[in-house]
Amino acid sequence: ITYLKDGSVLKNFGLKRGDVILQINSQSVEDSQLFGELLNNLDNLEYISITLLRDHKEKELYYEIY
């Protein structure tokens, strides 16, 4: 992540500048286009889980969608 707009969905998920997203809901994110496609399909989900690298450590974020 190189930029996060205040109030954006990604910032609300807990993402921070410098995070490297590895997976969304156990699906590998190999490029920014796939990342965008996965985010566009959030309407049909009850939750999202994001696996990422932050400060050289793997971390998982979990966010319920209401």
Side-chain angles (χ1 to χ4, degrees), residues 13 45-48 62-66:
F13 286 160
L45 301 176
E46 294 180 11
Y47 70 91
I48 183 171
Y62 180 85
Y63 188 83
E64 290 186 36
I65 301 170
Y66 299 100

Side-chain angles (χ1 to χ4, degrees), residues 10-21:
L10 297 178
K11 197 164 191 175
N12 290 341
F13 286 160
L15 295 175
K16 296 183 178 181
R17 188 171 174 238
D19 287 347
V20 177
I21 298 173

Side-chain angles (χ1 to χ4, degrees), residues 4 11 16-17 19 21-22 32 37 50 54 56 61:
L4 286 169
K11 197 164 191 175
K16 296 183 178 181
R17 188 171 174 238
D19 287 347
I21 298 173
L22 304 173
S32 59
E37 290 173 13
I50 299 174
R54 179 180 290 162
H56 307 287
L61 302 176

